[in-house]
Amino acid sequence: MTTTAVVGTQWGDEGKGKIVDTLAIEGGIIARYAGGPNAGHTIYVNGKKVILHLVPSSVTRPGTINIVGPGVLVNPDILLEEIVIAQAYGSTVLLDPAAHIITPWDVQLDKLREAASGGSAIGTTLRGIGPCAESRTGRRGIRLGDLALHVGDLHAALEARNYAAERIALIKNYGATPMPLDGLVVWCAGFRNLTQHFGDTRAVIHETIGSSGYVLFEGAQGEQLDIDRGTYPFVTSTNTGIDGIAKTTGVRRFDKVIGVAKAYITRVGNGPFPTKLDGELADKLRELGHEYGSTTGRPRDVGWLDLVLLKYAIRMSGITELVMTKLDVLTGVRKIQVAARYLLDGKPLDRLTTLTTEVLNRVTVEYVEVDGWQEDITCCRSFSDLPRAAQDYVRFVEREAGLLITMIGVGPERDAIIMR
Ligand code: GDP
Ligand code: IMO
Ligand code: MG
């Protein structure tokens, strides 16, 4: 058995959920390690669409043990809903008591800050991620483990280190009315039931690895949204790449690090996007690919596959193999463009340049054009079923990336996948 990680290589929404659902077919331990309810992972179970935000995308696989790790920022309302889904499918959810809770104060602050930011807004999912992550790093937030406290102790935990008073003052500073502290205590106390799902998730993960069991880590977001390596400040607040795993669970040896890339690329929210498309083709791909946020419903910006970003993600996260999703969406595009390299001030960008927002805002893109195909590929189940031009596209990306593409998505449904 293996220790495998699935990470996004772009700006999120690469189709990680479907890949995790596929890889969990034989059970095992599956762990979310980063992000929070900003994530939206879509899977199809017997034709039914299920969107998950906090628990791993394997919860509809009976017998799986699904971990919400210590690095996940948790909205308890959403967690409760998703535990019900897991129970209905006969899987288990295990919560780490060290995971931080996103409070209504955090959600309110996220909304107020974004609204007040005008042209410099990040375009967040408004799920309270940034404010919660601040409290976490500032060592003053509340955690799932605090839900086990009695009301008086919960009150004291929220007041400790001036946490509640500062949050309330911050919200009032925007002229808004915060939930009072007593209200927040009652709100927290309402989630005491979650304590029955607590477990020592690190111990479970390490014991499973020690006994050669299957452990699968599910990434949220993508490399370019990583707080340390992405397009700051247009990023999220956790480590979305591979190091999010080591940082929070202590696992740092992997048999496979699977990088998921769409056959094109999308971004939702603000920030640089060198290969962004406008006009008719963008609209067509958005409609064909149903490129609307799984969490917010916002239309996603659409662009050509970017090999510079892909190679960066491979290097930064130590990716060992690739998955290409949504190849079917490119059907009918006569000539496909792929970003091959960037020019900065007229000179090719050095291979190892760190792709900061400043760099990405200034580059011009050189494209390679490859032939498209017209045939419907949604029924293809083996590589040789694909039209020659589609095979050539996959092989071209493999050659450029220097890694094998081991799975190819040809539709949203569970079985719409080519295994190689
Ligand atoms: P995630 O956040 O990375 O899990 O991805 P999302 O669920 O946010 O977005 C991916 C979308 O593409 C979802 O609507 C999936 O159902 C869909 N999807 C995944 N793989 C494929 C594929 O190979 N082809 C098509 N057409 N849709 C796919
Ligand atoms: P999955 O796991 C796509 C984006 C937001 C915004 C930025 C910061 O489904 O791939 P935040 O709410 O985290 O403070 O927003 O990050 N973002 C995502 N974009 N997919 C996601 O998750 C995302 N999670 C956050 O749109 O640009
Ligand atoms: Mg998503």
Side-chain angles (χ1 to χ4, degrees):
M1 295 304 256
T2 60
T3 304
T4 298
V6 173
V7 297
T9 61
Q10 300 166 336
W11 276 289
D13 301 327
E14 297 90 348
K16 301 173 293 292
K18 177 178 154 176
I19 300 308
V20 166
D21 172 50
T22 302
L23 292 172
I25 192 160
E26 284 172 28
I29 306 277
I30 303 93
R32 266 284 300 272
Y33 62 88
N38 48 352
H41 297 170
T42 316
I43 54 170
Y44 281 82
V45 188
N46 302 325
K48 189 172 165 240
K49 185 176 185 175
V50 181
I51 301 180
L52 298 159
H53 303 282
L54 279 170
V55 301
S57 303
S58 41
V59 284
T60 70
R61 299 287 189 189
T64 50
I65 296 177
N66 298 278
I67 286 177
V68 177
V72 181
L73 310 176
V74 166
N75 176 321
D77 270 319
I78 296 176
L79 201 48
L80 275 180
E81 283 171 25
E82 297 191 348
I83 288 174
V84 171
I85 297 176
Q87 286 170 335
Y89 284 98
S91 69
T92 305
V93 174
L94 206 59
L95 307 176
D96 199 294
H100 277 247
I101 294 177
I102 300 172
T103 66
W105 292 335
D106 295 324
V107 176
Q108 194 176 5
L109 262 179
D110 196 2
K111 290 179 180 165
L112 290 167
R113 284 176 179 167
E114 284 286 279
S117 296
S120 66
I122 292 166
T124 75
T125 59
L126 306 180
R127 294 293 188 271
I129 299 294
C132 176
E134 281 166 22
S135 305
R136 176 176 188 253
T137 312
R139 296 149 300 162
R140 49 189 17 205
I142 56 162
R143 306 193 284 175
L144 280 179
D146 292 324
L147 299 179
L149 298 173
H150 291 294
V151 169
D153 293 335
L154 201 47
H155 210 283
L158 285 162
E159 282 184 311
R161 294 175 297 288
N162 223 22
Y163 169 66
E166 274 191 12
R167 291 274 111 172
I168 287 171
L170 273 176
I171 292 168
K172 285 187 176 163
N173 192 42
Y174 283 97
T177 309
M179 181 184 271
L181 173 57
D182 285 347
L184 205 95
V185 172
V186 172
W187 179 83
C188 286
F191 297 110
R192 178 152 310 173
N193 266 349
L194 286 175
T195 59
Q196 63 185 297
H197 304 284
F198 286 1
D200 185 341
T201 67
R202 292 181 183 103
V204 171
I205 288 169
H206 284 271
E207 272 162 26
T208 308
I209 293 172
S211 58
S212 304
Y214 184 49
V215 177
L216 177 62
F217 291 98
E218 177 181 31
Q221 293 84 49
E223 181 67 35
Q224 290 298 328
L225 290 172
D226 186 280
I227 177 72
D228 291 314
R229 299 195 303 250
T231 46
Y232 191 90
F234 303 103
V235 291
T236 190
S237 302
T238 57
N239 284 111
T240 62
I242 194 76
D243 26 350
I245 303 175
K247 232 172 138 171
T248 58
T249 69
V251 175
R252 44 178 57 75
R253 281 195 208 100
F254 304 92
D255 300 291
K256 291 181 184 182
V257 180
I258 301 176
V260 186
K262 269 180 199 171
Y264 49 100
I265 195 165
T266 59
R267 173 161 209 173
V268 62
N270 302 328
F273 188 171
T275 64
K276 182 170 169 244
L277 278 163
D278 287 305
E280 223 172 273
L281 182 57
D283 294 343
K284 185 178 156 202
L285 292 176
R286 184 177 305 109
E287 292 315 311
L288 286 173
H290 303 289
E291 296 296 357
Y292 293 88
S294 318
T295 297
T296 59
R298 293 177 292 177
R300 296 171 181 155
D301 287 330
V302 178
W304 296 118
L305 182 67
D306 187 331
L307 292 170
V308 184
L309 291 187
L310 183 60
K311 288 177 196 173
Y312 184 77
I314 290 170
R315 186 166 76 243
M316 290 294 146
S317 270
I319 291 167
T320 61
E321 61 187 83
L322 293 172
V323 169
M324 182 184 277
T325 59
K326 306 191 95 160
L327 187 62
D328 53 300
V329 177
L330 290 183
T331 297
V333 179
R334 218 172 46 79
K335 294 284 180 191
I336 299 168
Q337 312 290 324
V338 184
R341 64 175 190 169
Y342 293 158
L343 300 180
L344 190 64
D345 301 327
K347 294 195 198 86
L349 196 72
D350 181 86
R351 251 176 356 110
L352 297 178
T353 303
T354 298
L355 301 180
T356 60
T357 292
E358 293 69 27
V359 169
L360 292 188
N361 272 337
R362 287 179 49 216
V363 293
T364 49
V365 182
E366 277 191 352
Y367 290 96
V368 170
E369 187 175 86
V370 296
D371 288 335
W373 57 92
Q374 303 300 317
E375 301 90 331
D376 178 7
I377 62 168
T378 52
C379 295
C380 296
R381 292 295 175 268
S382 75
F383 191 66
S384 57
D385 292 344
L386 288 173
R388 175 48 63 94
Q391 293 186 13
D392 287 348
Y393 182 61
V394 173
R395 289 209 179 98
F396 168 71
V397 176
E398 279 186 329
R399 245 187 345 266
E400 288 293 317
L403 289 178
L404 290 178
I405 295 176
T406 53
M407 289 182 241
I408 300 162
V410 290
E413 296 78 21
R414 248 182 187 169
D415 68 335
I417 196 155
I418 294 172
M419 309 292 241
R420 293 173 81 207

